Amino acid sequence: MITLYTWTTPNGRKPAIMLEELGWPYQLRPVNLGKNEQFDPSFLAISPNNKIPALVDDEAEGGPLSLFESGAILNYLADKSGRFLDAAGRGRYEALAWLHWQIGNLGPMLGQLGYFAVRADEKSPQAIKRFTEEGERLLAVMETRLAQSAYLGGDEYTIADIAAYPWTLAATDYLKDVLAESMQSKPAVRRWLDTVGARPAVQRGMAILKT
Ligand SMILES: N[C@@H](CCC(=O)N[C@@H](CS)C(=O)NCC(=O)O)C(=O)O
């Protein structure tokens, strides 16, 4: 059995989308970030960086496997299933490049923007400016890519799209006060959001743990 430790955040939804796409049975273990459950020693044993998501696969090759970092989890599930990432060849590496772009850029920058522009009690104009500009730059990078290819990794839907979807959607809701205007001039990103968001598995993955 696969157990997904997660919460209702963009990073937390990525592996849920993947598991829904695969149609594999899995159990959800909520890690309530509002109650600091990510610092619980039992969770730290699985996710040493005290962040969700994490996944345990009891039936992994060679015995139970604990994984943290959403990119590693998506990569693992793609390799195990043989789906949403080519097993070899240039398409695999193009998709992995965009997966790593999301993990190293889009996620952290929009995460910081969310902190400074939405959650922080004291607003720092300099930090908001810095992360808004960086968010806008990254959306422009995405627009250029998606004006040339249907999906981030190329012609096919891959784990790169699964990783980027929840964060890009956040630019239209959670972060709309700072990024909505920029999204107006991103027709290719909006087309991609509509296409990916229409997938039933994406809708189920985005709905996890919603009350
Ligand atoms: N690079 C990590 C980022 C994970 C991450 O930032 N998770 C956030 C929620 S979206 C978290 O658990 N935050 C709790 C904390 O920082 O204490 C990944 O992709 O899995």
Side-chain angles (χ1 to χ4, degrees):
M1 175 58 87
I2 287 178
T3 305
L4 175 61
Y5 294 76
T6 193
W7 194 237
T8 56
T9 67
N11 288 319
R13 289 184 169 124
K14 297 176 207 172
I17 293 174
M18 181 66 172
L19 287 162
E20 292 292 339
E21 290 283 9
L22 296 175
W24 286 356
Y26 64 100
Q27 53 187 9
L28 271 180
R29 283 283 179 82
V31 179
N32 189 329
L33 301 184
K35 293 184 180 165
N36 280 333
E37 288 177 2
Q38 71 273 32
F39 297 105
D40 193 288
S42 63
F43 180 63
L44 287 174
I46 301 165
S47 186
N49 196 33
N50 64 262
K51 291 186 192 287
I52 58 95
L55 177 143
V56 177
D57 182 358
D58 289 330
E59 285 148 31
E61 226 180 288
L65 176 69
S66 294
L67 281 176
F68 66 109
E69 283 292 329
S70 61
I73 293 169
L74 292 175
N75 204 155
Y76 171 70
L77 293 171
D79 285 346
K80 179 168 172 151
S81 63
R83 298 189 62 200
F84 307 114
L85 180 67
D86 288 352
R90 59 190 300 139
R92 175 179 179 87
Y93 299 106
E94 283 177 25
L96 286 176
W98 284 98
L99 173 71
H100 285 266
W101 173 82
Q102 188 289 310
I103 304 291
N105 295 268
L106 190 69
M109 293 303 123
L110 296 194
Q112 293 299 327
L113 181 57
Y115 176 78
F116 285 109
V118 182
R119 284 165 42 215
D121 294 330
E122 271 182 44
K123 296 287 184 269
S124 157
Q126 194 178 359
I128 294 172
K129 179 172 182 295
R130 160 77 184 151
F131 291 111
T132 301
E133 284 173 0
E134 196 47 15
E136 287 173 343
R137 186 188 69 76
L138 291 164
L139 291 173
V141 169
M142 218 174 154
E143 176 69 16
T144 302
R145 173 62 175 171
L146 291 171
Q148 293 161 352
S149 65
Y151 295 101
L152 286 172
D155 295 338
E156 306 290 334
Y157 172 74
T158 68
I159 54 173
D161 302 291
I162 293 175
Y165 179 79
W167 278 109
T168 312
L169 190 69
T172 69
D173 49 39
Y174 177 59
L175 294 170
K176 66 177 181 316
D177 289 350
V178 269
L179 290 178
E181 203 181 313
S182 177
M183 284 296 286
Q184 291 302 317
S185 58
K186 305 287 181 301
V189 175
R190 285 190 280 117
R191 181 261 309 151
W192 171 89
L193 269 179
D194 289 346
T195 305
V196 175
R199 296 179 71 93
V202 171
Q203 291 166 10
R204 290 194 299 274
M206 291 299 291
I208 53 153
L209 302 175
K210 269 192 182 160
T211 47

